[in-house]
Amino acid sequence: MKKLIYIFSIFVIIGSACTDLDETIYEFIPDDKYPETDLQVAGLSVNAYSGLKPLIDDEGWWFLAQELSSDEFCGPTRDADWFDGGKWMNMHQHNWTNDDEGVNRMWDKLFSGVTISNITLDQMNLLPPSDEIDAKIDEVEVVRSFYYYLLIDNYGDVPYLTSAADAPEQPFKTAREAIFDSLVTTLEGNLQSLKLVDKKYLATRYMGYALLAKLYLNAEVYTGTPQWEKADAYIDSVLDGPYSLATNVTDPFVTNNENSSEIIFSIPFDENTYQGFRLHMRTLHYHHNLTFDMTVGPWNGLAVTPNHFDIYENGDKRKDAYFIYGPQYDIGGKEIIDGVTNNPLVIDPHLPALYMTSGSYTPDQYRNTGARVGKYEIKIGAKENLSNDFPLFRLTDFYLMKAETQIRLGGPGDGDFWINEIRDRAGVELWSGATLDQLLAERGRELWVEGHRRQDLIRFGKFTNTWWAKGDDQGGVSGDPSVKIFPIPKYASDANPNLLTDPK
Amino acid sequence: MEKIRLTLILTLLKILIPGVVLSQITVTGTVTDADEGTTLPGVNIQAENTGIGTITDVDGNYSITVPENAVLLFSYIGYATQEVEIGNRTVINIALEPHIELLDEIIVIGYGVQKKSDKTGAVSQIKAEDLSGGVITDAIQTIQGKSAGVLVSKKGGDPNEGFSVRIRGASGFDSETQPLYVVDGVPGVDPTTVAPEDIASFDILKDAASTAIYGSRGSNGVILISTKKGKAGNFQVQLNMKVSADQVANRLDLLSANDIRSYAQGLLEEAQVENPQYTVDSIFKDGGANTNWQDEIFRTGLSQSYNINFSGGVENSNYYASITQSDWMGVMEGTEKERTIAKINLTHKAFDNKLTLSGGLSGTFENNDYENYNGWGKDDILYQAFSRNPTDPVYDEDGDYYETTRVFNYQNPLAIINEVDNTRDAKRFLGNFRADYEIIDGLIGSVNLGYTRDDHESYYFRPNGLIDNGYGKREYKNETQKLMDITGNYIKTINDDHNINAMLGYSWQENMDDGFMAQARNSQSPYVGANDLETFIDVQYHDINSWKSSSRLIGFFGRLQYNYKTKYYLTGSLRRDGSTKFGENNRWGWFPTVALGWDIHKENFMGDIPWMDQLKLRASYGVSGNQEFDEYQSQLVFQSLDVTTDPESGQDVLTFRPAWNANPDLKWEETTEYNVGIDFALFRSRLSGSLEVYYKKTKDLLGIYSVPSPPNLTKTKAGNSGELENMGVELFLQAYVVDQSNIKWKTSFNISHNQSKMLDLGDFFNEGGVRKEGYISGRGMVGEEYYVVGIIEDEELGSFYLPVYVTMQDGVFIYESETGGYTDKLSEAKREIVGSASPFLEIGWSNTFTLYKNWTLDMAFRSMIGNDVYNATESFFDNPDLPSLNASPSALEWEEKGRVTGATVADIYVEDASFLRLDYLSLGYNFNTDNLNWLSNLKLYIASNNLFTITGYSGIDPETKIDGVAFGIDQYNVYPKTRTFTFGINATF
């Protein structure tokens, strides 16, 4: 009998080993074990910020879409380079379809940011509640609201989800106005949990004020009803914060700008460990690696539009600080000789056209024209990625926003004080009686390539105008109001047809 | 007295002059068929060890004059050879026994063997003597074109690239579609670790009824490789050596330096109209040389291969041991492969032959030297060489590599070839051990254990100053696999008529992968290179990485083979497979099969047709699976993403993120296949062959499918969805066309046709949706519009889905537009299916001639008909950056017509790449070694691989790797195919 049980148990043991198919996971953390340590718990909320990283370059396209679709920046076709199926030109001439790379990737990454925030919230809701955890939950909701602010700004009506685990399989859209209401409610409700500190990567209370200010400033675009007073109030809260204008126009954009007095909220890029800011690769000339002693060769592309370059006066300190043009020298001070024209490289700041081929333009024209972006410092020895933090909210912007609300609530001239702070620092003559149009131009000069232009043009009703290569005989359209939002990407609506129905 | 003297003289002469035939007798007789009694004409009769032979006449009579005591050999195809000592007879009548060797041959099937005449599934066997020779870079190359329905392809001729094998069309798209390789009973072994000289046979299981015994891995077919074993009492040593010269078979047609100069001159004259002060220097920088860059990067490669093996045995044991050392020098500078394979097989019987122990050990040591050529970056040799300006010299006046910055990514390819070190060392071991024990009469229990271990070590070094400040990397990868099979096999015949072969088994297999990698930048010592990574200054997060993963597979299986009087056959098998890769909702699967066979020629109503030796009808049905995709996709796991600064504390912190969208429903792909076949052998097997017709449907295709995002984190997830169908016909014929003593000609021919159809794209695709594949990228072509392959419902896999080029207006390409008119924008162009990369017909034809007993001539032809290739290379080089970059002559023609549009995708670049290739041709001489007892065979031969290719395709080579979903694209990444000439010696002692 004993023997039988013995043999039987052996069989059972062998039997269970025989059919054991439990997978051992080695190099990942299984779902039921994460977060494992206190450090990981404390770091949970950081995951929500990681969604900002891809937004500046072509992985997430947000920054490129805001600038290239505007009148101040473009990606010209330089003969065999940069045509790329027309995607850069389409963005500038407002010819995008629902299958353009920019449209697809911006949706993808902005919603990744939302979903990772929601996953983080779901995980934090499972932890034992405490004041700390509750504050962090509020903080992550604010970060998520930032992604949603960018989503409604760019796509209009989108699905509004507040949890990852409970999300419907194929969500419906929610109307832009309703999302706007949810966002301001959430933000206003969570402000007290946010810390009153000057930490530029954190969703502080000042960042909350700033986000609310931006939302209310654009309320007319988002909801149809302007809310200038509320915008004004929140702008004041920001201006009361621990920030001050920098002395030099270049200070907020240097490589080590993590302590700039002007920056309210930024993305902490690092050339090695947190990569995603490589505007310099896209804008600098092929030979600029000699100027900056770079280990990699830039791609010679994006440049300022000629009409925008011309709005800077000659004494404006920003002109030479923001733009790279004229004769170019290498790190030893010698003239750079261009590899194709065999002449000294002199960059003509005015682009002849948006579409240049060797049939109609000389190599000098298609290779060496268009003033490039010098605004963000390119350090000597720069690699393919920059370490400069990218400012999402900068104090100067709020000075100009204050001027705007004052003019709108009052009349021309009511914003002069704040505009002149900016103009004074830039070394140009001060204004009196500045109008909204003048303010818009000053915003263009000051905030060039910071990701605000598209939103500004839409708010001022000028996004559908014609300019330079947009709407003239070089091809392009003007006037179609539907371009004020991007379409729902085809891949998203193919996977979820509910996105094509009316918002619920 | 006279007689004695004569005999003495004769004896003396015989002693003094050995071998001289002094006394001869004439023997006559008649040869008949032992079964029928009919006379046999044309029977070969030879006197052993003499040159004397004859054949029987039309009445079966013969007459031969031979020395006394000669031994006569009577041989005839389809009959057992007989050896007869004549003694002092003068009339010898022989009755030859019919012996259909072919049908008694043993083929290897899953977990067992079977007589060819008993087979019920679609199995083809290729034996060692039928394999191709010459320059063989991987063993699978030896069966290229030899088996119907088995498409062995390789893009280009890189010795470091492998072959892709596709059996009966693709059964999947995102999953791996290579067949399962089983070497000496161990499934999952890399077939490149077997030396061609060690292979005894390839047995290819094609239909689901044969492959389903491997359950969830059988969908794509199974190739069983058996290595040689020793024979008792036959000790032999073999030496095989060959040396080859390899040349580039075909180069790309590009412009020369002078063509570029006259083009520049033309531009100058045009520009001088408005700017008369311009000189040539204003528009073009002339490098001053006449370089043919293809000549600079290609060379004549030298390959060599040496194999020595010895085998033998006694009654109870036998052994086989071999060492093969091969070296292939690629025709592109900087590419080379060296491989050494050592193998030993042992078998031993004990306990009255009841216990058989067999085992083998093999070690493969490989060293590869790589060059990149798959893209258009600075280190992609082919692109740089094709596009580089021919007026640029290789070296400048100081002897350094001539570098200039004509355009983005412009790089001297010789500098990359000579200065960049990219190598890999691989050590692979395979050990297998098997014990078979006859428990009771007819019942054999077996245990089979297998172990494989692959260690790969990679080295990459790029010095400082070449294209950046230098980069070095060392990587170690280890893959281990353990296997245990336990099977029980019962063979019994009941009442003489009922033959049963039943088998039950259990299989357990575990894979473990792990490795680590370290890399760094900013090299400070070109001499040390990556041997000491501490000579690099720049090391960052992400530069050190390690990984580990594992998977397990468990199967229970059983098979019953039954036949009644070897006339009616019924086979059924069932396997239950479980894998750790499947989601927890779908862990286990069932894989059943059933097959029927009917030996029609044995039926009474067929009468007794003397020329028909076999006519067998087979039908089978089976369900097999495929689980070749990444592990862990069914589970939600978190992976480390980036180091960032904690927004609050300012400290470094690691962010984590879900690695993918999990799918607990993930399961295997399932293929259901029906196969009907006819096997026949006629004229005493002088003509034999088979015809197969099959239909298979694969559902639950493994793929990366779109999921709504939001609410999912990423927009894709691994899942099962979709349906794909393949149907086709295969014909295989083998004939001994001529069988005389002086000329023998054996031929085998196979032809097959397969068509695939995507029945259902699966979830998350709208009606009429298209899945885009085959993206082309290059200068000015970076975007989502540049795809050439579309996977569309109701269309064939591998279809080219492209805009239709209408005409060129003012230099701009005009396409048909979706709205019915015309457009010049690629994004608005209407796309149509304009060709398919899958061939309509695959044909292989091999011949072996034996002439005058000593000469052998082998030739193997291979052809694919109806396959198209998208010539993306042409689309880049027909409109380039003249005069900065080189171009194809068609660029000048387009210029004449005023072309402005740059590189684009359109139907004009789809070309018919049907081809006929003489894969292998060899002429050998077998020395007569009958007089030497230390040498039993010596053969000298010359051979050529790819002697000629007939095709209409304009690019480098029409053959592409038929694998995956997007193939048939030639994008300046085709390593040229080679034409090789080999001289070889085979000797057996």
Side-chain angles (χ1 to χ4, degrees):
Chain A
M1 189 57 192
K2 230 185 180 171
K3 227 180 177 182
L4 222 60
I5 298 174
Y6 189 56
I7 294 174
F8 184 65
S9 42
I10 290 188
F11 267 106
V12 168
I13 293 168
I14 296 177
S16 54
C18 279
T19 55
D20 173 23
L21 281 179
D22 279 328
E23 227 167 353
T24 317
I25 300 178
Y26 298 97
E27 53 177 347
F28 305 112
I29 308 177
D31 173 39
D32 51 351
K33 292 203 165 30
Y34 178 76
E36 329 166 61
T37 64
D38 284 340
L39 217 54
Q40 283 180 11
V41 170
L44 266 182
S45 58
V46 181
N47 292 339
Y49 295 87
S50 67
L52 294 170
K53 186 163 79 88
L55 296 179
I56 308 302
D57 198 56
D58 68 343
E59 202 189 333
W61 257 89
W62 169 79
F63 167 77
L64 293 168
Q66 308 307 303
E67 291 298 324
L68 293 171
S69 64
S70 75
D71 60 351
E72 65 180 27
F73 200 49
C74 66
T77 299
R78 296 179 185 274
D79 194 35
D81 287 329
W82 291 97
F83 177 67
D84 294 343
K87 67 185 181 192
W88 309 105
M89 289 192 2
N90 283 349
M91 192 51 73
H92 191 70
Q93 295 176 324
H94 297 191
N95 271 340
W96 55 75
T97 63
N98 67 346
D99 203 13
D100 254 63
E101 183 180 284
V103 172
N104 290 342
R105 292 191 185 180
M106 186 163 50
W107 174 279
D108 184 21
K109 290 308 175 200
L110 285 175
F111 264 112
S112 281
V114 166
T115 310
I116 195 81
S117 305
N118 283 336
I119 290 178
T120 307
L121 284 169
D122 287 343
Q123 284 167 334
M124 295 202 294
N125 279 322
L126 290 174
L127 297 171
S130 72
D131 285 338
E132 262 240 19
I133 297 289
D134 284 343
K136 282 213 183 290
I137 288 177
D138 286 352
E139 179 194 328
V140 173
E141 282 179 353
V142 169
V143 177
R144 185 188 65 207
S145 304
F146 182 79
Y147 296 119
Y148 266 119
Y149 150 66
L150 295 182
L151 275 166
I152 61 172
D153 188 68
N154 285 286
Y155 292 96
D157 306 322
V158 298
Y160 187 66
L161 303 165
T162 53
S163 159
D166 296 335
E169 189 60 31
Q170 296 187 314
F172 286 89
K173 292 191 292 199
T174 305
R176 199 185 213 181
E177 310 85 78
I179 301 181
F180 176 86
D181 286 339
S182 300
L183 291 179
V184 298
T185 312
T186 307
L187 286 164
E188 283 168 352
N190 292 5
L191 279 175
Q192 289 314 304
S193 314
L194 301 175
K195 300 195 166 55
L196 268 174
V197 287
D198 176 15
K199 287 197 184 290
K200 305 180 194 298
Y201 312 141
L202 184 67
T204 59
R205 204 177 301 180
Y206 302 110
M207 179 267 192
Y209 293 144
L211 183 52
L212 280 162
K214 280 283 184 190
L215 280 166
Y216 280 121
L217 190 70
N218 291 293
E220 186 172 20
V221 175
Y222 300 152
T223 67
T225 315
Q227 304 235 35
W228 310 115
E229 299 87 348
K230 285 219 174 122
D232 193 64
Y234 281 112
I235 293 171
D236 283 338
S237 304
V238 173
L239 295 176
D240 284 341
Y243 310 104
S244 57
L245 279 186
T247 327
N248 301 313
V249 290
T250 50
D251 287 345
F253 309 105
V254 296
T255 306
N256 298 320
N257 58 350
E258 52 269 16
N259 291 319
S260 167
S261 59
E262 278 194 28
I263 296 184
I264 301 168
F265 185 55
S266 60
I267 308 177
F269 287 114
D270 181 273
E271 63 185 7
N272 297 310
T273 60
Y274 210 66
Q275 299 174 335
F277 189 24
R278 46 182 200 176
L279 185 60
H280 64 310
M281 296 297 290
R282 295 189 182 276
T283 183
L284 291 178
H285 189 278
Y286 294 130
H287 297 312
H288 271 131
N289 57 322
L290 301 169
T291 311
F292 298 101
D293 197 24
M294 289 166 67
T295 59
V296 288
W299 308 330
N300 195 29
L302 313 182
V304 69
T305 53
N307 50 292
H308 186 79
F309 184 76
D310 288 337
I311 66 174
Y312 289 83
E313 302 160 34
N314 271 330
D316 193 330
K317 290 184 191 160
R318 294 171 296 196
K319 192 167 182 173
D320 286 337
Y322 289 178
F323 299 103
I324 296 178
Y325 59 101
Q328 300 301 310
Y329 303 95
D330 69 16
I331 190 133
K334 246 176 49 183
E335 278 180 336
I336 296 179
I337 307 294
D338 183 51
V340 167
T341 64
N342 285 326
N343 288 326
L345 176 60
V346 176
I347 295 186
D348 176 348
H350 294 90
L351 279 170
L354 185 63
Y355 182 72
M356 297 181 281
T357 58
S358 60
S360 323
Y361 296 89
T362 66
D364 193 42
Q365 284 176 311
Y366 61 74
R367 267 169 80 93
N368 306 332
T369 53
R372 312 303 166 92
V373 181
K375 183 170 188 171
Y376 296 96
E377 181 193 11
I378 300 148
K379 74 175 203 199
I380 303 299
K383 300 184 184 180
E384 188 170 317
N385 287 281
L386 294 176
S387 288
N388 316 37
D389 292 349
F390 184 86
L392 291 166
F393 289 145
R394 176 161 86 97
L395 186 68
T396 309
D397 184 10
F398 289 85
Y399 267 61
L400 293 168
M401 283 161 69
K402 178 72 180 173
E404 184 178 336
T405 51
Q406 290 302 297
I407 299 175
R408 290 187 188 270
L409 289 171
D414 286 348
D416 286 353
F417 170 71
W418 290 277
I419 303 181
N420 285 332
E421 291 277 306
I422 309 305
R423 285 185 68 85
D424 189 33
R425 180 177 65 177
V428 286
E429 71 174 64
L430 308 180
W431 281 342
S432 88
T435 61
L436 273 183
D437 280 348
Q438 283 177 290
L439 171 68
L440 179 63
E442 197 59 39
R443 281 185 72 82
R445 276 187 288 270
E446 178 67 36
L447 304 172
W448 186 62
V449 296
E450 284 182 51
H452 301 300
R453 192 62 178 172
R454 174 182 162 275
Q455 188 187 75
D456 289 347
L457 286 178
I458 292 176
R459 187 171 68 250
F460 281 73
K462 296 189 194 266
F463 191 61
T464 54
N465 288 359
T466 69
W467 61 74
W468 185 54
K470 177 181 170 298
D472 67 5
D473 60 336
Q474 289 191 36
V477 297
S478 65
D480 179 0
S482 73
V483 299
K484 287 199 269 190
I485 54 169
F486 291 101
I488 308 281
K490 182 163 184 300
Y491 82 83
S493 53
D494 278 352
N496 176 7
N498 290 337
L499 291 175
L500 297 174
T501 61
D502 284 337
K504 296 262 174 288
Chain B
M1 194 55 206
E2 271 249 313
K3 232 184 178 178
I4 297 171
R5 211 169 7 156
L6 199 57
T7 322
L8 264 173
I9 293 172
L10 286 173
T11 321
L12 258 173
L13 283 171
K14 256 208 185 148
I15 295 169
L16 296 174
I17 311 170
V20 169
V21 174
L22 282 181
S23 85
Q24 311 209 334
I25 48 179
T26 302
V27 181
T28 63
T30 314
V31 182
T32 55
D33 176 313
D35 280 352
E36 315 276 322
T38 50
T39 55
L40 296 173
V43 176
N44 279 317
I45 304 161
Q46 282 213 318
E48 214 178 33
N49 291 332
T50 69
I52 303 172
T54 185
I55 57 171
T56 55
D57 63 17
V58 68
D59 295 319
N61 299 322
Y62 73 92
S63 169
I64 190 171
T65 308
V66 291
E68 51 180 28
N69 298 324
V71 175
L72 289 180
L73 286 166
F74 292 83
S75 64
Y76 197 33
I77 196 99
Y79 290 86
T81 304
Q82 276 197 37
E83 238 181 64
V84 177
E85 273 190 26
I86 51 176
N88 42 18
R89 294 178 284 170
T90 53
V91 175
I92 301 179
N93 293 323
I94 298 291
L96 290 180
E97 294 281 346
H99 178 61
I100 317 296
E101 260 184 32
L102 292 176
L103 297 178
D104 270 352
E105 275 171 5
I106 301 288
I107 55 175
V108 183
I109 58 173
Y111 300 103
V113 295
Q114 199 178 46
K115 277 218 285 226
K116 210 170 197 172
S117 52
D118 288 341
K119 99 179 141 109
T120 49
V123 180
S124 69
Q125 182 182 66
I126 304 167
K127 307 231 307 232
E129 62 253 20
D130 293 322
L131 302 177
S132 286
V135 176
I136 300 288
T137 55
D138 285 321
I140 204 73
Q141 190 179 353
T142 56
I143 63 166
Q144 207 173 18
K146 307 253 176 184
S147 177
V150 178
L151 181 56
V152 179
S153 62
K154 174 165 145 174
K155 187 180 206 167
D158 187 342
N160 291 321
E161 267 290 305
F163 286 84
S164 151
V165 177
R166 183 184 265 194
I167 300 182
R168 294 193 165 180
S171 297
F173 56 55
D174 279 335
S175 55
E176 263 293 314
T177 52
Q178 296 298 302
L180 177 68
Y181 290 94
V182 179
V183 175
D184 289 336
V186 182
V189 175
D190 184 346
T192 65
T193 60
V194 185
E197 291 85 347
D198 293 338
I199 298 182
S201 71
F202 282 92
D203 291 87
I204 306 174
L205 309 180
K206 298 190 284 193
D207 66 345
S210 314
T211 65
I213 197 76
Y214 289 99
S216 59
R217 291 185 300 174
S219 257
N220 297 315
V222 179
I223 297 186
L224 301 153
I225 299 178
S226 312
T227 55
K228 292 179 178 166
K229 309 265 187 299
K231 287 207 239 310
N234 183 17
F235 174 71
Q236 71 175 22
V237 178
Q238 272 193 338
L239 185 63
N240 300 309
M241 303 192 293
K242 52 187 168 187
V243 173
S244 320
D246 314 325
Q247 300 173 322
V248 174
N250 193 17
R251 287 162 200 242
L252 200 61
D253 208 4
L254 295 169
L255 299 175
S256 72
N258 288 332
D259 292 329
I260 302 279
R261 290 189 175 106
S262 39
Y263 177 84
Q265 188 61 29
L267 270 190
L268 176 64
E269 279 154 25
E270 269 178 45
Q272 279 173 335
V273 168
E274 284 200 20
N275 295 296
Q277 78 283 11
Y278 275 9
T279 61
V280 167
D281 284 330
S282 328
I283 51 163
F284 170 58
K285 177 171 161 178
D286 189 328
N290 289 315
T291 316
N292 182 329
W293 286 99
Q294 288 186 80
D295 283 345
E296 295 295 331
I297 63 165
F298 294 140
R299 64 181 171 193
T300 301
L302 233 61
S303 305
Q304 42 197 326
S305 179
Y306 306 96
N307 165 274
I308 178 165
N309 65 70
F310 54 99
S311 61
V314 294
E315 215 189 295
N316 285 351
S317 320
N318 60 58
Y319 61 91
Y320 173 87
S322 105
I323 296 188
T324 315
Q325 159 75 24
S326 317
D327 184 355
W328 298 270
M329 219 167 101
V331 289
M332 184 194 289
E333 299 266 357
T335 57
E336 187 168 352
K337 176 162 90 175
E338 211 186 291
R339 193 190 271 157
T340 308
I341 301 181
K343 178 147 188 68
I344 180 162
N345 276 342
L346 296 163
T347 314
H348 180 74
K349 290 196 211 273
F351 299 126
D352 245 348
N353 284 351
K354 279 204 182 163
L355 176 67
T356 308
L357 298 170
S358 57
L361 211 59
S362 86
T364 306
F365 305 87
E366 186 171 314
N367 183 284
N368 309 73
D369 194 358
Y370 301 107
E371 288 300 332
N372 285 340
Y373 54 86
N374 271 312
W376 53 292
K378 279 191 160 177
D379 61 347
D380 287 304
I381 305 298
L382 286 176
Y383 178 74
Q384 293 299 333
F386 291 152
S387 62
R388 196 157 179 88
N389 198 307
T391 67
D392 282 344
V394 181
Y395 301 103
D396 62 20
E397 312 89 53
D398 301 322
D400 297 322
Y401 296 106
Y402 180 84
E403 297 284 7
T404 178
T405 331
R406 288 188 184 274
V407 292
F408 173 63
N409 260 3
Y410 194 70
Q411 173 64 36
N412 185 335
L414 261 308
I416 299 285
I417 289 176
N418 294 331
E419 301 299 317
V420 171
D421 228 325
N422 186 357
T423 62
R424 181 195 70 157
D425 253 315
K427 298 182 188 46
R428 299 172 151 124
F429 295 103
L430 163 64
N432 60 298
F433 172 77
R434 190 189 170 93
D436 299 290
Y437 184 67
E438 192 172 346
I439 303 171
I440 58 172
D441 185 35
L443 176 64
I444 299 179
S446 318
V447 174
N448 185 27
L449 303 171
Y451 179 77
T452 64
R453 186 184 166 93
D454 287 346
D455 289 337
H456 305 250
E457 210 179 292
S458 307
Y459 177 101
Y460 185 98
F461 175 65
R462 186 169 67 225
N464 197 332
L466 186 61
I467 59 178
D468 58 11
N469 63 1
Y471 171 72
K473 176 166 117 162
R474 300 289 294 275
E475 187 174 345
Y476 285 81
K477 283 203 274 203
N478 304 310
E479 287 158 32
T480 321
Q481 187 179 252
K482 296 185 222 168
L483 164 81
M484 177 175 73
D485 280 342
I486 301 178
T487 51
N489 209 315
Y490 183 60
I491 303 181
K492 183 107 178 123
T493 301
I494 304 176
N495 288 346
D496 267 347
D497 289 338
H498 305 270
N499 300 305
I500 297 181
N501 182 331
M503 190 261 295
L504 266 179
Y506 166 79
S507 167
W508 180 95
Q509 195 160 17
E510 182 177 76
N511 282 57
M512 187 87 81
D513 283 344
D514 67 349
F516 70 89
M517 172 277 279
Q519 67 188 13
R521 278 160 249 269
N522 198 344
S523 154
Q524 297 291 305
S525 166
Y527 180 85
V528 171
N531 289 318
D532 180 355
L533 286 175
E534 281 191 337
T535 59
F536 292 73
I537 300 183
D538 190 2
V539 181
Q540 300 297 338
Y541 180 71
H542 284 314
D543 283 342
I544 303 177
N545 192 11
S546 64
W547 57 89
K548 184 164 174 174
S549 64
S550 75
S551 71
R552 212 174 310 131
L553 180 67
I554 294 178
F556 295 91
F557 50 92
R559 177 171 58 207
L560 178 65
Q561 298 176 69
Y562 166 76
N563 72 66
Y564 177 69
K565 288 190 177 164
T566 67
K567 196 156 55 164
Y568 304 107
Y569 294 84
L570 173 67
T571 306
S573 76
L574 184 61
R575 178 159 173 147
R576 181 160 162 78
D577 246 8
S579 164
T580 53
K581 290 183 185 172
F582 305 149
E584 56 183 10
N585 295 342
N586 279 317
R587 271 274 139 85
W588 293 88
W590 291 98
F591 300 95
T593 76
V594 69
L596 302 165
W598 180 22
D599 266 343
I600 304 181
H601 69 279
K602 290 188 181 160
E603 287 290 359
N604 290 332
F605 64 74
M606 283 298 278
D608 232 344
I609 306 179
W611 47 268
M612 182 178 288
D613 304 308
Q614 186 201 35
L615 182 64
K616 181 183 199 142
L617 187 63
R618 290 183 270 114
S620 73
Y621 159 84
V623 178
S624 57
N626 184 13
Q627 55 144 335
E628 289 311 310
F629 57 97
D630 292 333
E631 296 118 349
Y632 306 125
Q633 294 283 323
S634 64
Q635 300 199 34
L636 181 62
V637 298
F638 283 80
Q639 71 179 10
S640 62
L641 192 63
D642 273 301
V643 170
T644 183
T645 313
D646 183 307
E648 221 179 321
S649 64
Q651 301 292 337
D652 280 344
V653 73
L654 203 63
T655 54
F656 287 89
R657 176 176 277 245
W660 45 69
N661 293 323
N663 184 356
D665 290 330
L666 197 61
K667 60 188 271 234
W668 59 94
E669 279 176 355
E670 203 169 275
T671 300
T672 308
E673 184 168 354
Y674 302 88
N675 188 74
V676 172
I678 300 177
D679 292 324
F680 57 90
L682 313 170
F683 309 114
R684 289 172 323 277
S685 299
R686 274 183 76 156
L687 176 65
S688 60
S690 44
L691 175 70
E692 318 268 355
V693 178
Y694 61 87
Y695 173 83
K696 58 182 191 173
K697 186 144 96 162
T698 311
K699 67 178 181 103
D700 287 331
L701 291 172
L702 283 165
I704 309 292
Y705 293 96
S706 290
V707 289
S709 150
N712 291 289
L713 178 61
T714 59
K715 51 187 175 168
T716 57
K717 109 172 148 183
N720 301 82
S721 200
E723 261 181 28
L724 170 62
E725 154 191 287
N726 275 289
M727 60 176 103
V729 181
E730 294 164 1
L731 173 66
F732 172 72
L733 292 171
Q734 181 176 283
Y736 294 86
V737 183
V738 178
D739 188 42
Q740 310 290 343
S741 54
N742 275 346
I743 306 184
K744 294 190 206 287
W745 177 18
K746 172 174 161 188
T747 189
S748 72
F749 176 81
N750 65 74
I751 184 168
S752 62
H753 163 73
N754 179 76
Q755 66 195 44
S756 64
K757 186 152 88 159
M758 194 73 218
L759 292 175
D760 183 6
L761 275 173
D763 291 344
F764 315 124
F765 276 87
N766 277 337
E767 210 47 42
V770 173
R771 178 171 148 155
K772 304 179 193 171
E773 291 290 338
Y775 284 91
I776 310 273
S777 80
R779 288 192 70 208
M781 263 176 64
V782 180
E784 294 177 5
E785 275 316 308
Y786 295 103
Y787 68 95
V788 301
V789 170
I791 305 182
I792 304 171
E793 275 183 12
D794 289 336
E795 296 295 344
E796 183 153 14
L797 268 195
S799 297
F800 291 116
Y801 185 61
L802 291 162
V804 177
Y805 166 83
V806 177
T807 182
M808 192 166 74
Q809 206 178 59
D810 296 329
V812 174
F813 274 23
I814 306 287
Y815 314 100
E816 282 179 20
S817 97
E818 271 168 20
T819 52
Y822 301 102
T823 174
D824 62 350
K825 290 196 187 23
L826 206 55
S827 48
E828 285 170 23
K830 177 175 77 148
R831 287 187 181 238
E832 280 178 9
I833 297 201
V834 293
S836 167
S838 288
F840 181 75
L841 283 179
E842 301 144 33
I843 305 175
W845 184 30
S846 306
N847 295 285
T848 306
F849 296 90
T850 312
L851 306 162
Y852 298 105
K853 299 183 196 79
N854 298 86
W855 292 93
T856 48
L857 179 66
D858 282 285
M859 57 178 85
F861 289 94
R862 189 163 55 92
S863 169
M864 271 209 262
I865 297 182
N867 51 316
D868 296 321
V869 168
Y870 184 81
N871 196 345
T873 307
E874 177 70 14
S875 77
F876 280 102
F877 289 98
D878 72 354
N879 72 92
D881 230 346
L882 279 173
S884 292
L885 296 182
N886 205 347
S888 94
S890 54
L892 296 176
E893 290 164 27
W894 280 112
E895 260 291 313
E896 292 276 313
K897 301 189 200 153
R899 173 169 170 175
V900 164
T901 302
T904 181
V905 292
D907 61 340
I908 52 175
Y909 296 108
V910 175
E911 290 187 44
D912 185 349
S914 304
F915 67 87
L916 169 66
R917 182 164 262 159
L918 177 52
D919 258 351
Y920 177 62
L921 175 69
S922 127
L923 177 64
Y925 184 78
N926 286 287
F927 284 90
N928 191 338
T929 57
D930 296 333
N931 294 331
L932 301 166
N933 52 11
W934 52 272
L935 183 64
S936 64
N937 183 42
L938 175 64
K939 176 175 172 181
L940 253 59
Y941 64 93
I942 53 170
S944 170
N945 294 84
N946 191 18
L947 187 59
F948 66 79
T949 306
I950 300 176
T951 181
Y953 179 64
S954 68
I956 283 191
D957 193 80
E959 198 171 332
T960 58
K961 193 167 185 166
I962 310 276
D963 190 23
V965 286
F967 50 91
I969 300 174
D970 173 355
Q971 190 182 341
Y972 44 74
N973 52 8
V974 180
Y975 187 109
K977 274 250 197 287
T978 54
R979 183 177 303 122
T980 69
F981 297 96
T982 308
F983 170 71
I985 302 176
N986 293 342
T988 311
F989 304 97

